[in-house]
């Protein structure tokens, strides 16, 4: 470690996170060595290191606060994605640094919104920044979210033609974040859930925020996967049903789910993702299966 440069330390942690390869001794060595050399880190190094520890949910307060202090000194060198990633990482590890958040807020106000892509802007909008900076970010994120909704397919034929995938590709947004997502739902007429539903959901979901599953071994190396849990309460009734289909349960991402009813769409901005492993895909496919079994006439042919 003594012979490694600041960039070497950052790149080692970042490479492990990119591969979901968890090497606790290596990450511990980086955490021990980095604070002494954090002043040598460039903006990308600081951001990547913070993100890597947040990816594995490996809390290390001395390292995170050292990164926060060093970030403030060169905050003007940070690209918007660096600002968003660093603020997100500290929040995930319960190491929010209020002086850094104030500095990030000031950068949002100082820079023109034309410098921000929507993805980092959406990530920053979900952070606890100043009210004025969040209003600037909201204006950008919501305007693109509204255009995204207006460009969505309006018929089954359009959905099947690939128009939605093209819309996602043209928009170039990987994630609209929580507030941006809520704006899209609102535009689509999807109501916000009742507080009682949210309380019931929290009783079934281990943690609101980033979760990682237990590591698994593959060819002698330990890897982790991100845990995503979807909670659903449902009730379906039909004229031919013997009895209503109702219940409440959770679905978690995992192995690919083979569905008779749904086709997984390859995300244009994430070519290696397998949507059949997603908790939402597993949920919707399972609900279709339940409806099929409940209708003796074979409603599945519809």
């Amino acid at each position: 470690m003594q012979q490694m440069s600041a960039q070497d330390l950052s790149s080692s942690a970042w490479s492990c996170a990119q591969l979901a390869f968890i090497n606790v001794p290596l990450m511990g060595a980086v955490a021990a060595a980095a604070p002494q050399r954090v002043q040598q880190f460039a903006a990308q190094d600081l951001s990547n290191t913070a993100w890597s520890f947040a990816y594995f949910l490996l809390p290390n307060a001395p390292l995170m606060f050292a990164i926060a202090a060093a970030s403030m000194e060169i905050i003007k060198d940070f690209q918007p994605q660096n600002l968003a990633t660093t603020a997100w990482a500290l929040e995930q590890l319960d190491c929010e640094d209020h002086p850094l958040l104030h500095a990030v807020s000031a950068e949002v106000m100082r820079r023109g919104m034309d410098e921000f892509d929507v993805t980092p802007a959406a990530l920053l909008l979900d952070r606890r920044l100043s009210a004025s900076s969040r209003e600037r970010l909201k204006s950008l994120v919501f305007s693109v979210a509204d255009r995204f909704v207006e460009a969505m397919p309006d018929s089954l034929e359009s959905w099947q033609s690939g128009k939605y995938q093209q819309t996602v590709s043209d928009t170039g947004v990987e994630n609209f974040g929580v507030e941006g997502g809520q704006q899209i739902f609102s535009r689509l007429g999807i109501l916000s859930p009742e507080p009682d539903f949210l309380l019931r959901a929290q009783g079934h979901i281990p943690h609101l925020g980033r979760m990682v599953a237990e590591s698994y071994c593959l060819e002698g190396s330990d890897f982790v996967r991100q845990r995503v849990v979807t909670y659903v309460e449902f009730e379906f009734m039909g004229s031919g049903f013997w009895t209503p289909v109702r219940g409440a349960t959770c679905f978690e991402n995992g192995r690919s789910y083979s569905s008779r009813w749904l086709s997984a769409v390859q995300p244009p901005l994430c070519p290696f993702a397998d949507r059949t492993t997603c908790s939402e895909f597993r949920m919707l496919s399972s609900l279709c299966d339940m409806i099929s079994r409940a209708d003796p006439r074979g409603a599945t042919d519809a």
Side-chain angles (χ1 to χ4, degrees):
M1 285 291 171
Q2 294 299 321
Q3 297 178 348
M4 296 178 71
S5 68
Q7 186 176 24
D8 291 337
L9 291 172
S10 174
S11 296
S12 297
W14 177 83
S15 297
C16 287
Q18 279 286 306
L19 297 172
F21 167 58
I22 183 165
N23 187 310
V24 175
L26 175 60
M27 298 297 287
V30 170
Q36 285 73 43
R37 294 186 237 173
V38 75
Q39 299 301 324
Q40 303 168 20
F41 279 42
Q44 190 71 50
D45 301 329
L46 293 166
S47 174
N48 283 352
T49 304
W51 174 82
S52 302
F53 279 81
Y55 179 89
F56 290 124
L57 288 179
L58 292 174
N60 189 294
L63 172 62
M64 291 300 113
F65 288 125
I67 287 175
S71 297
M72 291 181 59
E73 295 183 10
I74 58 171
I75 196 76
K76 293 183 179 180
D77 295 340
F78 275 54
Q79 296 297 316
Q81 187 62 60
N82 302 145
L83 294 172
T85 300
T86 306
W88 171 84
L90 267 66
E91 180 180 309
Q92 292 300 305
L93 296 175
D94 294 325
C95 292
E96 277 188 307
D97 185 89
H98 294 292
L100 176 62
L101 292 178
H102 290 318
V104 172
S105 298
E107 281 300 296
V108 171
M109 298 301 296
R110 184 181 70 84
R111 305 184 189 194
M113 283 294 99
D114 57 343
E115 295 185 36
F116 285 78
D117 291 332
V118 177
T119 299
L123 192 60
L124 283 168
L125 179 58
D126 291 338
R127 309 280 72 79
R128 286 186 270 269
L129 304 184
S130 68
S132 55
S133 63
R134 293 186 71 259
E135 282 302 315
R136 295 196 75 192
L137 294 165
K138 182 183 292 186
S139 176
L140 170 62
V141 174
F142 279 25
S143 65
V144 177
D146 289 343
R147 293 200 300 270
F148 177 75
V149 171
E150 292 164 2
M152 291 178 70
D154 56 4
S155 68
L156 180 60
E157 291 75 17
S158 294
W159 281 100
Q160 294 173 333
S161 70
K163 181 181 178 181
Y164 175 73
Q165 296 93 304
Q166 188 60 52
T167 298
V168 174
S169 181
D170 292 344
T171 306
V173 180
E174 296 180 14
N175 192 328
F176 278 99
V178 175
E179 294 213 19
Q182 290 174 342
Q183 172 68 4
I184 291 175
F185 292 153
S186 174
R187 286 292 308 277
L188 293 173
I190 300 174
L191 301 177
S192 298
E194 297 292 334
D196 287 348
F197 172 84
L198 295 176
L199 287 175
R200 291 193 297 273
Q202 290 182 34
H204 292 270
I205 296 176
H207 171 70
L208 296 182
R210 180 165 178 78
M211 295 186 292
V212 293
E214 293 183 1
S215 62
Y216 62 94
C217 185
L218 180 64
E219 297 182 355
S221 298
D222 289 332
F223 295 86
V224 298
R225 68 170 176 84
Q226 181 174 341
R227 291 185 69 192
V228 180
V229 179
T230 297
Y231 174 74
V232 59
E233 296 176 0
F234 55 90
E235 181 173 2
F236 301 104
M237 293 180 288
S239 59
F241 287 13
W242 295 116
T243 182
V245 179
R246 62 168 63 95
T249 188
C250 285
F251 295 88
E252 184 169 342
N253 62 321
R255 295 183 182 276
S256 296
Y257 190 97
S258 178
S259 175
R260 294 175 58 194
W261 323 110
L262 304 179
S263 297
V265 175
Q266 191 70 46
L269 304 178
C270 191
F272 302 108
D274 180 1
R275 284 303 187 199
T276 65
T277 67
C278 294
S279 61
E280 300 91 342
F281 186 90
R282 298 167 68 86
M283 173 194 70
L284 293 172
S285 297
S286 296
L287 294 178
C288 289
D289 288 337
M290 293 178 193
I291 294 172
S292 170
R293 291 192 294 269
D295 190 343
R297 301 168 304 171
T300 58
D301 294 332

